[in-house]
Amino acid sequence: MKNKIINTDNSKTTILIRLMVGTVFLSEGIQKFLFADKLGAGRFEKIGLPLPEFLGGFVGSFEIVCGILILIGLMTRLASVPLIIIMLVAMGTTKSEILADKGFWEMMHESRTDWAMLLGSIFLLIKGSGCWSVDKTFKKNEA
């Protein structure tokens, strides 16, 4: 099981996706604590999610931890799973109303970052962390 989680290829360009996904999630997670009324619990309360105080810290913590893991390339496949779930919930709770009220193209415009983070996270789940990663270092040391 451990090998499936840390297994990766020698791709040198995967770091670009890791930098994009990891940086955005790390930043968003930190902001959920710094600006809780607007981006954390307050945002979750505004969109009608239950237990907004708990969810703000819970989601923010996952975004920070998983963002860091992806940035350093440690357990990238495992770290991408919660981020995929976060993005699916975010899109379902915030973009469905835009779709219903303003239409498809407005929803697509408003969800561009969501799509980038969702697809980037799916890419990392499939591909792994690439050449320049802690996972690759662990794999080399096992050989």
Side-chain angles (χ1 to χ4, degrees):
M1 182 67 159
K2 181 181 123 192
N3 283 337
K4 287 183 181 182
I5 292 171
I6 67 168
N7 192 32
T8 190
D9 61 15
N10 287 321
S11 175
K12 292 180 175 123
T13 56
T14 302
I15 195 166
L16 297 174
I17 303 298
R18 283 187 20 233
L19 288 172
M20 176 187 70
V21 171
T23 302
V24 168
F25 277 109
L26 175 60
S27 170
E28 288 298 315
I30 291 169
Q31 290 178 69
K32 279 181 179 56
F33 290 100
L34 292 177
F35 312 108
D37 56 328
K38 184 177 177 189
L39 301 174
R43 173 104 171 113
F44 291 146
E45 184 175 20
K46 180 181 174 188
I47 61 177
L49 291 175
L51 304 168
E53 291 291 328
F54 169 75
L55 281 178
F58 184 76
V59 171
S61 296
F62 265 94
E63 289 177 341
I64 291 168
V65 170
C66 293
I68 290 169
L69 289 172
I70 285 175
L71 281 170
I72 65 173
L74 176 60
M75 298 185 296
T76 298
R77 283 193 162 96
L78 186 62
S80 66
V81 172
L83 301 181
I84 291 167
I85 294 167
I86 288 169
M87 291 318 305
L88 290 172
V89 171
M91 291 172 79
T93 58
T94 63
K95 302 312 184 268
S96 56
E97 186 177 318
I98 296 170
L99 177 62
D101 294 346
K102 297 182 180 179
F104 177 77
W105 292 113
E106 184 70 22
M107 183 272 303
M108 289 303 293
H109 172 72
E110 292 294 326
S111 64
R112 64 194 180 276
T113 304
D114 297 345
W115 280 109
M117 292 301 100
L118 175 63
L119 296 176
S121 297
I122 292 171
F123 174 89
L124 293 171
L125 175 65
I126 294 167
K127 193 93 162 125
S129 52
C131 181
W132 296 311
S133 65
V134 175
D135 287 346
K136 189 66 175 182
T137 303
F138 285 160
K139 198 71 177 161
K140 284 180 191 173
N141 290 340
E142 285 180 0

